[in-house]
Amino acid sequence: QVQLVESGGGLVQSGESLRLSCQASGSIYAIYAWGWYRQAPGKQRELVARAAHDDLQNLGDFVQGRFTISRNTAKNILYLKIDSLRPEDTAVYYCHAETLQNGRSSYSWGQGTQVTVSS
């Protein structure tokens, strides 16, 4: 089992930047991919960015170069930096990990961190 705890959200003004963090614990060795999703009020959860251990990255359609995913493997932390924040980036941002353990795939979600962008 993998536990994920996000931090770094908050209320910011349009144009500012934020860096979100996701601390992983538990069965870290089982993670083969992890990333970030977001869910705005009244909308479905959508992919922001996903990175696999082979360094392949999948990015959401809206990313447009403003979102950067990175990781500190020594500390088991995944980051998401968001530049030039816009009001439409307001959402709860969730960390997500995909695991493979004993031949079974599974996934874990964090509790989410709220990002609110004022115009």
Side-chain angles (χ1 to χ4, degrees):
Q1 190 80 2
V2 172
Q3 293 79 43
L4 305 170
V5 178
E6 302 97 332
S7 61
L11 174 62
V12 296
Q13 292 192 336
S14 183
E16 293 183 341
S17 298
L18 268 182
R19 190 178 76 163
L20 307 180
S21 300
C22 172
Q23 176 71 63
S25 61
S27 302
I28 305 295
Y29 62 89
I31 297 176
Y32 66 87
W34 52 339
W36 292 91
Y37 288 72
R38 71 181 188 182
Q39 187 166 19
K43 295 188 177 181
Q44 289 189 333
R45 195 170 296 189
E46 60 181 352
L47 172 69
V48 178
R50 172 185 178 273
H53 276 309
D54 54 4
D55 288 332
L56 290 179
Q57 293 191 11
N58 297 327
L59 303 175
D61 293 339
F62 59 86
V63 167
Q64 299 177 348
R66 297 190 299 115
F67 295 76
T68 305
I69 190 171
S70 62
R71 56 195 172 198
N72 183 324
T73 52
K75 295 184 178 181
N76 300 317
I77 300 174
L78 185 72
Y79 298 105
L80 179 69
K81 187 165 185 292
I82 314 171
D83 295 314
S84 302
L85 278 154
R86 305 168 181 170
E88 54 265 38
D89 294 322
T90 294
V92 178
Y93 285 74
Y94 295 92
C95 186
H96 177 261
E98 300 163 51
T99 59
L100 183 62
Q101 199 167 9
N102 299 323
R104 294 183 60 184
S105 61
S106 184
Y107 58 88
S108 298
W109 291 98
Q111 82 288 349
T113 186
Q114 176 71 48
V115 173
T116 303
V117 185
S118 63
S119 57

